Amino acid sequence: MTLYRKSFLIGALLLLASAVTNARAQATWIWYPGDFEIWLSNQMQVKRIERDAYFMPFWRLYGHQPQLNFTREVNLPVAEDITVHVEGRHAANIDGRFVQGDQHHIHVPAGKHRINFQVFNPVTPPAIFVQGPSIQSDDSWLVGPRPNARSPELGAVYAARWNFDGEDRRPSQFKLSTQEIMPTSLKPGVQSLLVDFGQETIGFVKLKQLKGSGKLSFHYGETLEEAMATETGETLDRFSVNGHDGEFVAPESRALRYVNIQFGDGMSVDGVSLLYEYLPLTRHGSFRSSDEELNRIWDVSQRSLELNTREFFLDGIKRDHWVWAGDAVQTYLMNYYTFFDNEAVKRTTWALRGADPVDMHVNTILDYSLYWFIGIRDYYQYTGDAAFLKSVYPRMVTLMDFVLKRRNANGMLEGRPGDWVFVDWAKMPKDGELSVIQLLFARSLESMADCADVAQDREHATQYRQLAYELKDKIKATFWDTEKQAFIHSHQNGKLNRLVTRHPNMLALTLGYLDEDQAAAVKRNVLLNDNVPAITTPYMRFYELAALAQSGQHDYVIRQIKDYWGGMLRDGATCFWEEYDPKQTGIERYAMYGKAFGKSLCHAWGASPLYLLGKYYLGVTPTQPGYAEYLVAPHLGGLKWIEGKVPTPHGDIAVAVSEKRISIVSAGGKGSLRFISSSKPHSDSGIVRSLGGDLFELPLEHAGKYVVDYTAAAQQ
């Protein structure tokens, strides 16, 4: 038995003993971790269409386990009766003896007992809801494939749960919420009706009164041009109705701003609305500044992320309805500065990973497997949720085993048959050992080492950390070009490709893999060098602008945000796009993938200003998991004032900064306010200490308000 398994078992037994006398006050549906999430993602991802044809995922879809055992040990001072609801067929067992008769109403005698429910369901994930005076189904139950599974060796793990806290709120019946919204304009035509809802949205088109028989079609558009392009628009629905007289609701939710409704002779429509479909979210994070355009960029970014936060974090609401790891790791970070919806992160993480055994990269993409590891480490840093990390850790190990077996003779990763090496949509060579892939690999190994520490798997922690250390040395020796003072592109068949691209350089800078001189060289020779090919997708602008802000270019980054995202607003965007080229005009702006309207105009990775403004301007970031310790390092970036809130597990941290005063309201944890001042600062909230030059720090030792008077220094 490994040390990891021993410690896991000890922890399981201790938690189980505690659960005997500390049951939850409210029962909830429970299942095997990952099963519901994988099943739900399958239901969603097979709904992708191109026009009116289904386009299924091209990677493996995993299934849930059809038979499971749910186990709980109890010590009752008095007997009690419990009610059992099950998704599937089940058998009840107390102390190794089957319960005869009614399996839904069970008498449990006083004393110590082991309760077991064996559940079979090949259609939806096996799940149970148990309710009694003290015996409640919750995440202290063990679930595994064997009736006596009470240890990791036998496959037992703690049950998973979400918010299904009523006997009738079954996991298999989950649906997003809906709210009826009205259009901003209706334009009748000859046997047609053009409807505008005023901004990008998603939902079910509802006809208040449809009369007649014949053909009915809905042509959806993120733009007016797409809705009117009945032969080339991306999404449409066609129906045949016969003698209809009453309300008609489209059976599938679609992304749209406009819908062009066409109906046959003798048919009529009287009124249209939309059943807006959404995941209820709380807007914790906020941002306001002296620049109204920047405020508008924040608002539209937040709406873009909100629309794409659904059963899982989607990349775009119009086209894919697939879950992509590269997109997800960014949306997680945006989420931590807005909604702080941990459950959406966990569901997406499970859905991306799937089940064992592993025989392909996540989404078949080499770099996306690496992002998946990094995303889990980020989640733990922002939330401090060790329970989730431990539950997913075994699948982290098996995926990393798969990755390590695919290293080449040089100990690096390169694309193999069946792998998609993505990096970005930019045109670049993608064969051989790409420096950017090796950097992601090193970071994923560091993430694995940190997660292994939390899971108390010391053996693997040491192994992963050593591999990361060795790989980083090899990366610098192979790809750092002393003449160009930058990372070069790749190595293949003994030859170096000395092309300089932004991707590995900005990644190395944000990961902290460069010394001070190298970081300055990368900023000068790559990031601020117009001769290096520009990045056009918000996906990689995320990392580029993060690297620039991290290197002190706050004024420059604000100008870039206003130019790039502001450009989309000036081009009529109501959400942010998958890709933006300001040189394009007219209808060509919406083309992508060889299709006239192939581009997504509401793409989650387009919302990166949420993260950039929250982390680098409000300046809030955790330095210990779950904001046990944190840093507030605000920057005005050339603005007169900024203010906002950043959510944490303790509550929101409020930040307000002007050219003369900084105000912080802390909700908990221990933090530090670090800032630049051209004059000696003063605070009645604590002792401000100098860190050298014009850099100062004020400890934030408890929850409460802190105010510093200072003089904002000129920034780059």
Side-chain angles (χ1 to χ4, degrees):
M1 183 185 296
T2 66
L3 179 60
Y4 160 62
R5 291 188 179 277
K6 286 179 181 177
S7 59
F8 187 102
L9 178 56
I10 292 170
L13 294 175
L14 289 173
L15 182 55
L16 191 58
S18 173
V20 170
T21 55
N22 295 287
R24 286 184 180 275
Q26 185 174 18
T28 183
W29 285 90
I30 58 175
W31 56 86
Y32 191 91
D35 273 7
F36 168 73
E37 295 81 0
I38 292 169
W39 171 82
L40 184 63
S41 72
N42 291 346
Q43 310 307 305
M44 184 190 72
Q45 293 188 103
V46 298
K47 290 183 178 180
R48 175 176 174 173
I49 63 169
E50 291 204 356
R51 289 188 60 78
D52 54 355
Y54 284 108
F55 184 179
M56 307 292 187
F58 52 80
W59 52 81
R60 172 187 291 206
L61 295 183
Y62 294 89
H64 63 273
Q65 298 175 83
Q67 181 170 288
L68 288 166
N69 290 267
F70 297 83
T71 303
R72 173 74 182 275
E73 292 187 0
V74 299
N75 187 2
L76 302 178
V78 296
E80 65 180 74
D81 295 318
I82 61 174
T83 302
V84 182
H85 297 271
V86 177
E87 294 253 64
R89 179 186 301 171
H90 79 288
N93 185 302
I94 299 178
D95 300 328
R97 296 180 180 180
F98 286 110
V99 173
Q100 303 297 321
D102 190 350
Q103 303 285 302
H104 296 280
H105 300 87
I106 297 173
H107 180 76
V108 184
K112 293 183 178 181
H113 302 287
R114 183 169 63 84
I115 304 172
N116 175 267
F117 295 103
Q118 191 173 42
V119 184
F120 171 75
N121 191 338
V123 180
T124 64
I128 63 169
F129 182 92
V130 181
Q131 194 162 33
S134 68
I135 302 173
Q136 312 278 359
S137 50
D138 58 28
D139 51 15
S140 69
W141 287 60
L142 290 175
V143 55
R146 303 187 188 185
N148 61 345
R150 284 176 285 174
S151 69
E153 281 80 357
L154 297 177
V157 296
Y158 291 113
R161 57 182 293 274
W162 185 17
N163 61 357
F164 303 108
D165 52 6
E167 60 188 59
D168 295 326
R169 297 189 64 194
R170 296 172 177 263
S172 66
Q173 302 302 310
F174 169 73
K175 291 184 179 179
L176 295 169
S177 299
T178 58
Q179 177 184 345
E180 188 168 13
I181 62 174
M182 305 306 294
T184 57
S185 71
L186 298 170
K187 184 177 180 180
V190 179
Q191 297 303 120
S192 68
L193 188 62
L194 179 63
V195 186
D196 180 7
F197 288 97
Q199 62 180 339
E200 179 100 15
T201 187
I202 185 170
F204 306 86
V205 171
K206 176 181 177 180
L207 307 183
K208 300 287 187 178
Q209 184 72 22
L210 173 65
K211 291 185 178 181
S213 301
K215 301 294 184 182
L216 174 69
S217 62
F218 297 160
H219 295 271
Y220 307 97
E222 293 185 300
T223 62
L224 175 61
E225 293 90 338
E226 182 178 12
M228 301 305 293
T230 58
E231 298 300 319
T232 55
E234 279 292 296
T235 52
L236 69 149
D237 282 316
R238 295 188 178 101
F239 309 99
S240 294
V241 296
N242 185 21
H244 199 91
D245 187 3
E247 180 181 280
F248 180 91
V249 180
E252 297 291 345
S253 174
R254 305 294 188 206
L256 72 154
R257 172 179 171 174
Y258 300 88
V259 58
N260 176 9
I261 303 171
Q262 298 186 341
F263 41 91
D265 293 339
M267 301 176 70
S268 64
V269 174
D270 183 16
V272 181
S273 64
L274 185 79
L275 299 181
Y276 168 55
E277 186 186 41
Y278 65 98
L279 178 74
L281 295 166
T282 301
R283 294 185 172 186
H284 293 286
S286 64
F287 179 86
R288 279 294 176 269
S289 74
S290 55
D291 189 300
E292 283 304 318
E293 182 180 53
L294 197 62
N295 298 340
R296 174 65 176 153
I297 289 170
W298 169 276
D299 291 340
V300 174
S301 295
Q302 187 175 58
R303 178 164 178 80
S304 301
L305 180 63
E306 189 169 31
L307 287 173
N308 282 289
T309 305
R310 301 171 63 75
E311 300 97 328
F312 307 92
F313 287 111
L314 302 185
D315 65 335
I317 56 174
K318 176 176 78 169
R319 189 187 61 234
D320 280 22
H321 287 259
W322 290 351
V323 186
W324 298 92
D327 305 59
V329 75
Q330 293 188 6
T331 54
Y332 297 164
L333 292 171
M334 300 170 201
N335 168 67
Y336 302 139
Y337 287 90
T338 48
F339 310 121
F340 212 77
D341 190 323
N342 295 356
E343 298 300 323
V345 177
K346 293 191 287 187
R347 289 195 305 274
T348 304
T349 301
W350 281 119
L352 285 164
R353 174 58 182 83
D356 289 327
V358 185
D359 63 359
M360 66 175 64
H361 283 295
V362 175
N363 304 126
T364 75
I365 301 177
L366 170 57
D367 27 320
Y368 279 22
S369 287
L370 307 178
Y371 282 126
W372 186 80
F373 298 114
I374 295 167
I376 295 172
R377 176 62 180 84
D378 288 344
Y379 173 79
Y380 179 61
Q381 185 72 1
Y382 279 91
T383 68
D385 184 357
F388 172 71
L389 189 153
K390 291 176 182 178
S391 71
V392 79
Y393 178 72
R395 293 192 193 176
M396 297 180 73
V397 173
T398 51
L399 180 58
M400 182 53 78
D401 287 345
F402 171 79
V403 171
L404 292 174
K405 290 175 182 177
R406 295 173 77 82
R407 290 174 294 176
N408 62 20
N410 199 28
M412 294 190 181
L413 293 177
E414 57 183 311
R416 291 193 175 191
D419 294 348
W420 177 3
V421 180
F422 174 61
V423 182
D424 189 14
W425 287 123
K427 294 180 180 179
M428 65 175 73
K430 295 182 180 179
D431 295 326
E433 301 165 352
L434 304 188
S435 56
V436 66
I437 293 293
Q438 313 319 313
L439 289 163
L440 286 172
F441 185 22
R443 187 52 146 190
S444 70
L445 286 167
E446 291 177 330
S447 298
M448 282 297 303
D450 290 343
C451 293
D453 280 336
V454 177
Q456 297 183 326
D457 183 3
R458 307 302 185 198
E459 181 179 343
H460 270 118
T462 300
Q463 175 192 351
Y464 297 138
R465 196 158 279 116
Q466 182 62 29
L467 287 172
Y469 177 81
E470 294 171 356
L471 180 59
K472 286 194 291 184
D473 277 352
K474 190 175 294 185
I475 291 170
K476 289 184 178 180
T478 305
F479 299 108
W480 180 259
D481 189 303
T482 55
E483 180 181 344
K484 296 177 180 289
Q485 285 292 289
F487 279 107
I488 58 174
H489 186 66
S490 64
H491 175 263
Q492 185 179 18
N493 298 326
K495 295 181 180 180
L496 290 170
N497 182 338
R498 298 186 181 276
L499 173 69
V500 173
T501 63
R502 296 176 183 268
H503 302 77
N505 290 283
M506 63 197 188
L507 189 62
L509 196 153
T510 57
L511 294 179
Y513 288 175
L514 304 176
D515 62 31
E516 187 175 339
D517 290 339
Q518 289 172 328
V522 161
K523 181 172 69 173
R524 179 180 63 254
N525 299 329
V526 181
L527 299 182
L528 298 177
N529 185 354
D530 291 338
N531 293 322
V532 177
I535 288 172
T536 61
T537 63
Y539 178 51
M540 280 293 147
R541 294 282 280 185
F542 178 97
Y543 297 109
E544 180 184 30
L545 295 181
L548 285 162
Q550 189 166 310
S551 63
Q553 299 294 307
H554 292 87
D555 291 32
Y556 177 82
V557 170
I558 288 291
R559 293 194 297 271
Q560 289 292 302
I561 291 174
K562 285 171 57 64
D563 179 62
Y564 189 80
W565 280 269
M568 282 188 259
L569 294 181
R570 292 186 287 274
D571 275 352
T574 62
C575 284
F576 287 130
W577 302 354
E578 180 177 14
E579 183 266 348
Y580 176 63
D581 184 345
K583 296 187 295 296
Q584 293 179 331
T585 59
I587 198 171
E588 70 172 337
R589 294 173 296 173
Y590 313 132
M592 206 167 177
Y593 309 110
K595 297 181 293 184
F597 299 98
K599 185 180 297 181
S600 164
L601 301 190
C602 181
H603 221 68
W605 76 28
S608 53
L610 299 172
Y611 171 72
L612 296 170
L613 295 171
K615 180 171 182 178
Y616 297 107
Y617 294 86
L618 296 178
V620 180
T621 186
T623 55
Q624 290 295 323
Y627 281 89
E629 296 181 13
Y630 62 92
L631 175 67
V632 182
H635 289 271
L636 284 170
L639 303 168
K640 296 295 183 183
W641 59 267
I642 59 173
E643 64 182 24
K645 294 181 179 179
V646 173
T648 81
H650 308 290
D652 299 340
I653 296 175
V655 180
V657 185
S658 70
E659 295 175 318
K660 296 294 183 181
R661 174 167 287 188
I662 301 172
S663 172
I664 308 293
V665 179
S666 168
K670 289 191 174 182
S672 297
L673 169 62
R674 196 170 296 162
F675 60 97
I676 296 171
S677 178
S678 60
S679 65
K680 185 178 180 180
H682 170 76
S683 176
D684 292 330
S685 307
I687 299 174
V688 179
R689 53 179 180 257
S690 173
L691 298 181
D694 56 2
L695 184 62
F696 297 87
E697 185 173 75
L698 173 68
L700 310 174
E701 296 180 337
H702 50 76
K705 186 173 182 178
Y706 299 81
V707 177
V708 174
D709 293 315
Y710 82 121
T711 302
Q715 298 174 6
Q716 298 298 314

